[in-house]
Amino acid sequence: MRMLARRLLLPGLTALALAATGCSSTPHTGAAEPAAPAPLTPSADGTSQQLDVAAAPQGSPTPAAVSRGDGKGKTEKSSLKVASYDSKSGRAVISTASEGPTRAPSAGKSPEAAKPVAAGDVIASAPAPGAPNGLLAKVTEVVGKTDRGTEVKTAATTLNSVLGDDKADGKVPVDPAAVVVEPLMKGVTFSWAKGDGLKFGPEGAKLPLGNLRLDVNASVDTAPDAPASAGASVSGFVQLAPQVEFQYDGTKGGGAGPRGAYLGMSGDWSSQWKLQGRAAASTGAPKRIPFAKLHSSPVIQVGPVPVVVNLDLTTYIQVEADGRVTLDVQQDVKGDFKVGGSYAFGKGWTPVSTSNVQSTPVQATLTATGRVKGALGAEASVGLYGAVGVTADFAPYLRGEADAKATASSDGKTSVSGAWAVYGGFDLSGNLHLQLSLFGTPVFERKIPLGALNREWALASGNTGR
């Protein structure tokens, strides 16, 4: 099968939306005791400022930000840019406006912004050659001039070295054209509708602006002894309008780091999927079938600083069955979600995971004796400048058990013969990673788990004579 790669928005957030979800006639909230993002507090000395948070301008290069090592002045947009970067050696070539085509200094830029790079400077750059996830680094040594600019040695640094004691708080929608999508099986299609009226894919004309949609229609393995008529398949879609949430409060809380920080994703979403046939997974472990990989590195402009957010998602179908059940189940869910990590001085990092979900009546038909569990989920990660900060595995599912034939609906309509039961639910697990210390907060001694979370509720069940 030939792999296709296309640019598209983040259905990554789709399954991510499915994150802490439930599927019943009443709303379900996700993960345990979610923490609110750290509040932003005015500084006592009044020297800090509130920075705007917005999507980086499109159609032109995003200016790098520089914080000078001499300690004078604030971080500001500069004429510097990363011409190349070698991640193995940490060496970079930094060019300036004077080393490119001759032109007058940009309006609004100070002479400081046009100074050549020097040891002690901190540079924050959007994606550049050799740095596809952007670059946040401190110059440790100036090696010398080259025909492309100034070669320097760099070391890793943190966001507080460029954001200082300023504050920022904002939400930035993800551009639906900014995601690289790689289908992993036949029968996967993508659609999105952008705010400027551009549409893509067979469903693009039907989507609200800013939304994306991932459709799947594929076969899955059947039990070894299943007749040809028992072929199994999954079909459906996930639809999402995701956004990045970013907060930073550089007010000193008594230590060297910031008082608060938050990184996460949120958005409205909907999904519908159907699993039919006699699926095989009779050897114990659930069978996971990835069907698409997605990646995006949206650049959000936090004041003068380009902050590169890395979003990765692998969407999958998971089937767990004893091979004896022929089923026909359908799930239709709508809701919203928020996942991420929140830092507050004195409390450390806390996972954030919430969701408010409602579902329409679920149809389920099981034939013969056996059990089955089907999920449409995602493995997702969110980070900064290529460093993973939050990972999560979200799997909303339907589960059925029967010893004969049963047809059930969560709206109360049933037709049964024998014992049967149908359940809805979701599984959620994941971790906050020490790379979130990129904000300048203390390093974790260990990963902080989101906490293995499961919610399940009965949709319909019964027991009648044969």
Side-chain angles (χ1 to χ4, degrees), residues 41-69:
T41 308
S43 63
D45 58 13
T47 60
S48 64
Q49 58 183 331
Q50 187 75 30
L51 303 176
D52 292 333
V53 178
Q58 297 184 9
S60 60
T62 302
V66 62
S67 175
R68 296 295 179 178

Side-chain angles (χ1 to χ4, degrees), residues 1 183-186 188 214 216-222 232-234 275 279-281 285-293 314-320 373-379:
M1 178 183 68
L184 301 179
M185 63 166 55
K186 294 180 180 179
V188 179
L214 169 67
V216 60
N217 187 350
S219 60
V220 297
D221 292 344
T222 56
S233 65
V234 63
L275 183 62
K287 184 177 182 64
R288 181 168 292 194
I289 308 167
F291 63 89
K293 288 184 177 181
T314 298
T315 51
Y316 64 82
I317 304 156
Q318 184 164 300
V319 179
E320 183 178 0
K373 181 178 179 180
L376 177 61
E379 299 170 351

Side-chain angles (χ1 to χ4, degrees), residues 197-239:
L198 297 177
K199 296 179 177 62
F200 174 85
E203 301 293 333
K206 303 177 183 179
L207 296 179
L209 295 180
N211 277 242
L212 68 91
R213 173 168 163 152
L214 169 67
D215 285 78
V216 60
N217 187 350
S219 60
V220 297
D221 292 344
T222 56
D225 59 348
S229 60
S233 65
V234 63
S235 61
F237 68 86
V238 285
Q239 181 175 311

